[in-house]
Amino acid sequence: MDATVLDRSIPELAGLVTRGEVSAEEVTKASLDRITRRDGALGAFLTVQAEEAIAAARAVDQKRARGEALGPLAGVPIGIKDALCTRDAPTTAGSRILLRPPSKGEATLDPRRGFRPPYDATVVARLREADAVLVGKTNMDEFAMGSSNENSAFFPAKNPWDPSRIPGGSSGGSAVCVAAGLALGALGSDTGGSIRQPAALTGTVGIKPTYGRVSRYGLIAFASSLDQVGPFAADVRSAARLLGVIAGRDPHDQTSLSAPVAAYEEACGRDVRGMRIGVPEEYLAEGIEPAVEKSVREALAGLASLGCELRPVRLPHTRYAVATYYVLATAEASSNLSRYDGVRFGARAEGAESLGALYAKTRGEGFGREVARRIVLGTYVLSSGYYDAYYLRAQRVRTLIRRDFEEAFREVDVIAAPVSPTVAFPLGERVDDPLAMYLADIYTLPASLAGVPALSVPCAPTPAADGVPSLPVGLQLIGPPLEEARLCALAAAWEGISPARGLRPKVSEA
């Protein structure tokens, strides 16, 4: 079969399978073959479930042969971030602490030895019900802590536009999976920008939904008041279809919202003339690379050409977002990751002579440097004498950030801004500078703290210059709570005139 079928949109491919013009098994084999040929140089996947994927594809074909209606993702290959539980595949969260001890002859760091959950995450179950084919678990920063995918315990994922550069994180593997055409869609999780930032740096579309719009059941927790699952795709309509499948109330997650799921895909054809677009002065100030700013400003001019009205808005507490996030997120991480102690599940260190020593040895051997750093910081801000000074104050500032958005959305319908202040930077450039790494998320953190939906859609890539290749840039669209359909409408309208439309990286093959 012609592998270019993998370069179609999700609605197009699902339609082909539903009509019987191509079989789900053929599509799945094409995806697995492309993974074999391309992923060795990219590191998008930690594990590939070839046998399970082919079996699932055959089940879709058999369902069609029986005359049964197929789901909206019929035969579509999807990658799953390895922080999401899967009953038929190992789950590692990118960490060695969730690996079982190696048997004789097994590699020490092999993600195939990961924890085997007894259940699927709700979003994974919904993909299966929609007849998607899950081809594997994608690479990630350990416990979703990172902005570059270099904190994976196994190997870094690499940007298909330039494999010497990072793809962004923590959902870097999911972004690479889509950008390189290994699968048509993928799921990631976004705590402070971990869907939008890698989407921007790889030229894909990524959506962080409203907090509670998508179930977190079965997502390995980093910071529970911030974590959200969302989709990656090569185009807005495809991402909208994925979001429509995974969104909705889940009785297993008491933070999930019962509001009806909007028609996200149908919104992609909506007229956006007259839409009021807020442009926050805080996002286009000092610190942004000139080429990135130029691309974003050109995109804003493009929105104006579509009949949108650009208005300046202020989000004055944005400057406190990084500090606020790294107090709150690390505090929650300190609590959530206390369960990894060598007693209940996961790895257990050998040779400990006491319970305390077991805890210390297991966690010391199992957690990477960045995770350990954040646990220590989170434990500190929650400790006696510091709780009021740091954690409680950060919660108050979070409320102020949320109010900034509430005020802005009284005047505008959507806020448009950069996703990242820079393009993808070289691998290793910031690994020894945590603060520089944290600042990579400066434009994505406020929406996460406020719990509002946000989307990254490609705008004009930077021009090649001085040996640096042309690299993707993302336009961030932020909306009021539960207005994902509005974001999809605007993003799709922009996509129709975007100079980045249809651009794909040239990926080398083995």
Side-chain angles (χ1 to χ4, degrees), residues 2 85 99 118 140 148 152 246 279 300 319 393 399 417 424 426 432 434 455 486 509:
D2 186 356
C85 291
L99 300 182
M140 60 178 288
S148 68
S152 170
I246 64 174
V279 182
L300 293 173
R319 57 181 173 169
R393 182 171 296 181
T399 299
D432 295 321
L455 176 155
R486 185 185 300 176
E509 299 192 354

Side-chain angles (χ1 to χ4, degrees), residues 7 42 71 79 91 100 118 141 149 163 171 185 261 285 348 361 377 413 417:
D7 299 324
L42 297 174
T91 300
R100 63 169 173 78
D141 284 304
N149 216 134
S171 306
V261 175
R348 175 179 296 187
K361 199 165 189 292
L377 177 58
D413 301 305

Side-chain angles (χ1 to χ4, degrees), residues 352-363:
E353 298 180 354
S354 67
L355 185 61
L358 174 65
Y359 290 165
K361 199 165 189 292
T362 297
R363 292 165 70 82

Side-chain angles (χ1 to χ4, degrees), residues 84-145:
L84 289 161
C85 291
T86 43
R87 67 172 188 268
D88 59 354
T91 300
T92 70
S95 177
R96 67 178 65 204
I97 207 166
L98 278 171
L99 300 182
R100 63 169 173 78
S103 301
K104 187 176 181 180
E106 287 186 317
T108 302
L109 278 180
D110 187 343
R112 291 173 295 182
R113 294 191 289 101
F115 170 65
R116 291 271 180 166
Y119 66 97
D120 280 334
T122 294
V123 292
V124 171
R126 288 179 176 173
L127 291 180
R128 296 190 202 273
E129 290 166 5
D131 291 323
V133 175
L134 313 184
V135 291
K137 305 298 287 291
T138 58
N139 203 351
M140 60 178 288
D141 284 304
E142 184 180 9
F143 285 102
M145 298 183 193

Side-chain angles (χ1 to χ4, degrees), residues 295-334:
S295 179
V296 171
R297 289 195 182 277
E298 288 174 353
L300 293 173
L303 294 178
S305 75
L306 292 169
C308 298
E309 177 189 351
L310 302 185
R311 295 185 180 184
V313 295
R314 291 205 62 227
L315 301 171
H317 294 95
T318 292
R319 57 181 173 169
Y320 304 118
V322 173
T324 301
Y325 173 83
Y326 279 100
V327 169
L328 298 178
T330 58
E332 294 185 26
S334 171

